[in-house]
Every structure is written in structure tokens, then in C-alpha cells.
Amino acid sequence: QKEVEQNSGPLSVPEGAIASLNCTYSDRGSQSFFWYRQYSGKSPELIMFIYSNGDKEDGRFTAQLNKASQYVSLLIRDSQPSDSATYLCAVNKGSGSARQLTFGSGTQLTVLP
Amino acid sequence: DAGVTQSPTHLIKTRGQQVTLRCSPKSGHDTVSWYQQALGQGPQFIFQYYEEEERQRGNFPDRFSGHQFPNYSSELNVNALLLGDSALYLCASSLSLAGVTGELFFGEGSRLTVL
């Protein structure tokens, strides 16, 4: 079992729709969870982080965390063609500030105009 | 404010050679982490440096080594290159005091091709 698993892509949604990206993790001791966006040929950039159970909203993005189910998701509302990218789920394994992120393989999202 | 800078951006080596990659962290950051990203995969943690010492290490062989300098910049060295070392090498910087939710800033990476 992989430490961080993401729903297999690629995922295509029409412009204006909601894109739902899912991630599960195996280490129950994981403390914080991150969603990164990576455009082709570019480096990952942080979209959101979450460390408490429940929802966290930032503009069109909502991260959801369920530690009991070891599940993290990212919802993108009103999807735009510019949202087309690979989305990486990452989990913090390190203790304290010594963060060691474990990434999933990513889900490629395409938003169709 | 300069972000994380890495050099070189691209390089080609042959099997058995050695390579050194360099990273300057974002201004004010004191911690540098290195990740390897193979094509179609997520980044994999190599190691992290803080106060010029390796603080954590991922599942990589001793051929991978690093260094952090007093100005917080860092180098990643890979010896005896294998074809499988071909990847994008990402440097990420962070502020130790920011704790577990502090943002990790990535550089644009060094793309290594081993022939």
C-alpha cells in the first residue's frame, strides 16, 4: 500500500463545474496535509494546507480532512481552464517543524472550455 | 524578494559520473529540503538540512549527499550516476520556526538526464 494515494486520472471537467480530487494516507500519525498544483514543466506551488478535521475554504478551493477515515480531498468550484494542471496531495510525516512531505503521484486535471 | 533559486536548470551526464546541484533558499528561510521527481510521479523526499546538518533523510542511497552552508544555501551531490537518477531535482526552503504548517517554497528545479 502506498503511503499517499490519489484518485487515478486524468480527470476532465467542463468549465464552471466542480472538480473533486481525492487522497488517502496510511500513517495515522500524520499531522498536516497539503495540496499543491503543478503546471507542466513547473515546480509545485502550494494551494492549501489543512490540519484539523472538517472543511477549510479559500476562494474557489475547499480542502476537506477526515482523520478517522484517513482521507483528504480538494474541491475546486467554478473550474477554469487555467486550473488545468497536476494536483499533488502531500502529507507531513516529520515531527515538529522538521517537515518531511510525502507526496502522492498526482491527479492530472483538465478543464474543458 | 527572490524566491528559491536553483542551478543549473538542465544538465546531461553519463552513467558513473558525479553531479552537484545548487540551491539558494528564499530570503529569511533557514531550512532546505531536496526532492527527486521522476516523470509522472510526485516528488520524493531525499533529505533536509538545518543549521548545516542533515536533519532528516528519505529512502535514498549514500550516493546522494548534501551540504548546507552558513548562508543557508545548499548543494546536492550524486555520485556514480545511474540511468534511474534521471529526474527533476527540486529544492524547497522553509522557516524552521513556522512549524508544521509553514509553507514550503519550491524552486524551479534542476532537470538531470543521465545517458
Side-chain angles (χ1 to χ4, degrees):
Chain A
Q1 180 188 9
K2 289 185 179 179
E3 293 184 73
V4 180
E5 294 204 57
Q6 297 186 238
N7 50 330
S8 58
L11 177 66
S12 293
V13 299
E15 185 174 355
I18 295 175
S20 177
L21 304 164
N22 304 315
C23 173
T24 58
Y25 60 95
S26 61
D27 186 351
R28 283 196 173 274
S30 301
Q31 300 179 24
S32 47
F33 309 86
F34 302 81
W35 283 100
Y36 282 82
R37 175 176 62 199
Q38 187 173 28
Y39 292 112
S40 181
K42 298 294 187 180
S43 61
E45 56 179 332
L46 182 67
I47 300 174
M48 293 186 71
F49 69 84
I50 186 168
Y51 51 89
S52 298
N53 276 326
D55 295 359
K56 180 180 179 182
E57 188 174 314
D58 184 1
R60 296 186 296 112
F61 299 94
T62 299
Q64 300 174 315
L65 173 62
N66 184 327
K67 289 187 178 180
S69 300
Q70 295 174 241
Y71 174 87
V72 192
S73 67
L74 179 71
L75 299 177
I76 307 174
R77 291 182 301 281
D78 188 24
S79 295
Q80 301 297 310
S82 59
D83 294 326
S84 298
T86 295
Y87 288 80
L88 297 163
C89 172
V91 174
N92 174 30
K93 289 183 61 177
S95 60
S97 60
R99 289 189 296 115
Q100 172 185 330
L101 294 185
T102 300
F103 285 84
S105 297
T107 299
Q108 186 177 344
L109 172 67
T110 300
V111 180
L112 304 170
Chain B
D1 179 24
V4 180
T5 57
Q6 293 186 243
S7 64
T9 55
H10 295 82
L11 68 166
I12 299 173
K13 294 285 187 178
T14 57
R15 280 178 296 177
Q17 284 190 311
Q18 178 263 344
V19 67
T20 297
L21 308 178
R22 297 176 177 82
C23 171
S24 291
K26 181 178 169 63
S27 178
H29 283 185
D30 56 7
T31 303
V32 173
S33 303
W34 287 92
Y35 288 81
Q36 179 196 66
Q37 187 174 24
L39 202 60
Q41 300 296 314
Q44 276 196 291
F45 178 77
I46 303 175
F47 41 54
Q48 183 182 84
Y49 277 85
Y50 172 67
E51 292 188 338
E52 302 179 50
E53 290 191 359
E54 183 182 290
R55 184 157 66 171
Q56 283 191 311
R57 188 179 183 92
N59 189 24
F60 278 80
D62 291 344
R63 296 188 298 109
F64 290 78
S65 63
H67 189 78
Q68 186 180 35
F69 299 95
N71 67 352
Y72 306 119
S73 66
S74 177
E75 288 182 350
L76 164 65
N77 300 291
V78 187
N79 295 322
L81 285 168
L82 304 173
L83 295 179
D85 294 332
S86 295
L88 180 67
Y89 288 84
L90 295 163
C91 171
S93 75
S94 57
L95 180 61
S96 181
L97 288 176
V100 297
T101 57
E103 184 170 351
L104 205 61
F105 287 83
F106 283 90
E108 290 300 319
S110 294
R111 183 163 297 283
L112 170 65
T113 302
V114 182
L115 302 176

